[in-house]
Amino acid sequence: MARQWPYHIETPRGAEGIDGGLASPGLFIALGARAELGRLIEPADMIGRPSTVAVLTHETWQARFGGRRDILGQVITLDKDALTIVGVLEPGFEVPRVGTVALWRPLHINPKDEEHREWRGFVSFGRLRPGISLREARAELATLAGQVRSAHFPTTAGWGLEMTTTRDLVVGGVRPMLYLFLASVLAVLLIGCANIANLMLARANARTREVALRAALGASPGRIVRALLVESLLLSFAGGALGVALAVAATRAFKALAPTRIPRVADVGIDGRVLLFALVVTIATTLVFGLVPALRGARVDLKQAISEAGRGTSASRGWLGAALVVGELALAVVLVASAGLLVRSFVALTSWRPGFEQQHILTFTIFAPNAKYSTSASVASLLKRLEGEVAAVPGVSNVATASGGPLFGGRETWEMDVQQPAALPRASVRWYDASPTFFPTLGVPIVRGRGLSETDGKNDPLVGVVNETLARRFWPQVDPIGKTLTFSNGTDRAVFRVVGVVRDVPPLNPDDPIEPQLFWSNRQLPRPYSFVIVRTALEPAALTSAIATRVKAVDRDLEANNIRTLPERMQRELVTPRFTMLLVSAFGIAALFFAGVGTFGLLSYLVSQRTREIGIRYALGAQRKDVILAVVGRGVALAALGTAIGIAVTLAAGGAMRALVVGVSVSDVPTLAATALTLLAVAVAACLVPALRASRVNPVIALNSE
């Protein structure tokens, strides 16, 4: 098992924060980790109290210790504890769901001790025994979870154990996005292949006389098919080579824009496996989409082909070409509709209105060293002193501290007993510890009762402020002021008396419900890790240096970490949806372009093959507008059919998009209508040139040419 655990490491410049981790020996065994130097954590290091050994990651060894080979045995100081470095991990070792870890220490408690039963935040890893399926293992784990619950957590209905594979743990959150990218690539590939197939069909039809002559001179059908396939392969290899060259540049752009949460995005690149895949795809698409035109081209009636070649187009050729165009238009609709939904979703996210001014809020984190601030009173005193010092920086309007808030922190949830007229099951409540200045600094109003106060001291009864959602859900008909929420885990018990109700702050994701929330004073129950929220009268970025300096002045072992404005934090939240939107939109634009090219190519070919027919129509009195409408009508009919099929496919596959779209329905009518109109407009534009060309046919020349 493992979890992240922050530390302070002593340096000549003072204490610096460092991301550490706690682990049991089984973690490294289960993940197959090896030591580059020394050893890893062993069972003998699990002594039930803080151990004196540490294991560095390869990256920390290189960056902080210069990669020195004599690092083993060196003593470092973490939060006043002297630790001996006993090993260095191999490069690239990462633990899913744990986050960045610079060094590992042995777990300093016995997980079997009753007093630690409520300690959460760990991820456990193991390997299945040979012959045991994942289903069997999950069934056994469910039995064990029931036994543990019965013995230790009879009232915590929201707690449980869940088994998943490491692959699902790593890619589970981004799997819908990766599948969407794969589907988009496949759709654009199919559209391109449909265009090539149409081109090859046209070439085969235009070369009917040539093929007939080859057959008359003794060429077998197999020889003709091979010759046509070789031509297709040459075209495909040329296109594949150009595609690989473009992929090199596109990969750089992909890595620059990709969110860091995509697993192993740094390893994305063009290597031998990618080149082999490109070669296989090139050959496969040639065989699939080049074979039919080649077989059709090899089947000719010698007498008819030699005597009548060039007089008109084959009806079957027109039908097959039209089917290919309808197919690529349908795929284009799916991609464009998906891109439209993602754009609408992104707009919904950027329209977040929390109910307070965001531009002048700056946030950062501090972590009070445990060795210095080992009691709640000392931590509360530090937070109060820190708020006062930062507030004295010129340009700062107000300062607060809290465990979380909108867009930062605040992921802790407890199941609490809510005082109600009737007994109800325990309620899941998201909680925050906050300073009395938290709501005034953010600008969120108290709508009933009062806020947190400096008079709520360490020795006073615990008080809390709840949000409107909690008050409305559990006390809809009564005044919540004076009601209580009780947390109890068998060893600890905390009762919070409600003194106020604060206005709800909507989540960034408009589809997420507002959860019941409790805010208690960090003057009563503080934690050493806290966010600092600063409201400024000036541009926040101009004050970061002065604020960081003032934090150091409070205590040289404190650091202002991750200093960001609230808009910057919002932009970080939007990285993934923006990336998904841009990439799928690029595929959608490419699909539109190729679909337009395919429609243009088919109609241009049909017009060229029907020159004599058009001439006859003119000779019989047809007007130019009739010819133009006939050609455009053919294209619009194809586009309408392709659009209808594409919208049907989009609606059928809407469930796959649900995980990526927020704030809008996957069957959003405006988006689908805009997609349909866009496709029809592209089809009409693609029809205009062939239509105008047909309208300019001279009937005398057309008839004499035959």
Side-chain angles (χ1 to χ4, degrees), residues 45-115:
D45 299 320
M46 300 280 289
I47 57 179
R49 64 180 187 277
S51 176
T52 58
V53 301
V55 174
L56 301 178
T57 64
H58 173 87
E59 292 71 23
T60 302
W61 175 49
Q62 293 290 327
R64 190 176 284 272
F65 299 96
R68 300 198 320 269
R69 307 291 295 186
D70 61 349
I71 190 66
L72 299 182
Q74 181 173 328
V75 177
I76 60 175
T77 303
L78 289 186
D79 292 328
K80 307 303 180 182
D81 292 337
L83 304 180
T84 302
I85 298 174
V86 297
V88 176
L89 279 157
E90 61 185 342
F93 177 76
E94 295 180 1
V95 180
R97 286 273 182 93
V98 173
T100 303
V101 171
L103 60 84
W104 292 93
R105 292 185 66 179
L107 183 61
H108 57 266
I109 57 119
N110 184 347
K112 296 182 180 181
D113 290 344
E114 187 69 27
E115 61 182 295

Side-chain angles (χ1 to χ4, degrees), residues 667-690:
S667 57
D668 183 58
V669 174
T671 301
L672 297 179
T675 299
L677 291 175
T678 300
L679 261 292
L680 290 174
V682 169
V684 170
C687 296
L688 286 179
V689 173

Side-chain angles (χ1 to χ4, degrees), residues 76 82 236 267 378 411 466 503-504 554 594 664 689:
I76 60 175
S236 298
D267 298 333
S378 62
R411 302 309 304 167
V466 299
R503 179 173 296 168
D504 282 337
V554 173
F594 289 134
V664 63
V689 173

Side-chain angles (χ1 to χ4, degrees), residues 163-223:
M163 178 180 290
T164 184
T165 64
T166 303
R167 177 182 296 177
D168 289 341
L169 192 66
V170 172
V171 304
V174 299
R175 180 178 280 113
M177 178 174 62
L178 297 179
Y179 280 153
L180 178 61
F181 293 165
L182 180 61
S184 300
V185 171
L186 181 60
V188 173
L189 175 64
L190 290 175
I191 291 172
C193 289
N195 278 343
I196 295 298
N198 251 332
L199 173 64
M200 299 308 296
L201 283 171
R203 281 171 56 84
N205 203 54
R207 296 170 64 185
T208 300
R209 186 168 187 148
E210 173 196 337
V211 172
L213 288 174
R214 289 189 181 190
L217 293 174
S220 65
R223 187 181 185 91

Side-chain angles (χ1 to χ4, degrees), residues 281-361:
V281 169
T282 298
I283 295 174
T285 53
T286 300
L287 293 176
V288 173
F289 290 91
L291 187 59
V292 172
L295 291 174
R296 290 176 59 83
R299 293 198 302 267
V300 295
D301 185 310
L302 296 182
K303 181 179 179 181
Q304 181 180 2
I306 294 175
S307 63
E308 298 183 4
R311 286 201 171 187
T313 183
S314 164
S316 59
R317 149 66 188 142
W319 175 86
L320 184 56
L324 289 171
V325 168
V326 168
E328 61 184 282
L329 286 170
L331 289 173
V333 167
V334 175
L335 279 179
V336 173
S338 299
L341 290 172
L342 291 171
V343 170
R344 291 284 305 275
S345 176
F346 185 76
V347 170
L349 290 173
T350 57
S351 300
W352 181 59
R353 298 293 181 267
F356 56 85
E357 197 274 337
Q358 312 167 48
Q359 301 301 317
H360 291 83
I361 293 181

Side-chain angles (χ1 to χ4, degrees), residues 461-550:
L462 299 177
V463 299
V465 173
V466 299
N467 68 340
E468 292 175 302
T469 294
L470 189 149
R472 189 165 47 245
R473 182 174 301 179
F474 300 115
W475 302 298
Q477 305 296 331
V478 297
D479 187 354
I481 306 303
K483 295 294 187 290
T484 61
L485 295 96
T486 303
F487 165 75
S488 176
N489 62 4
T491 57
D492 297 318
R493 187 173 185 271
V495 180
F496 300 94
R497 180 173 58 86
V498 176
V499 296
V501 178
V502 67
R503 179 173 296 168
D504 282 337
V505 175
L508 177 64
N509 184 342
D511 290 341
D512 288 344
I514 300 177
E515 299 174 290
Q517 298 172 351
L518 166 68
F519 302 82
W520 69 66
S521 175
N522 63 12
R523 303 301 194 251
Q524 295 185 311
L525 291 178
R527 294 198 299 169
Y529 186 90
S530 181
F531 281 86
V532 181
I533 304 96
V534 182
R535 182 170 286 282
T536 67
L538 306 176
E539 184 64 31
L543 301 178
T544 55
S545 178
I547 290 174
T549 301
R550 188 60 61 96

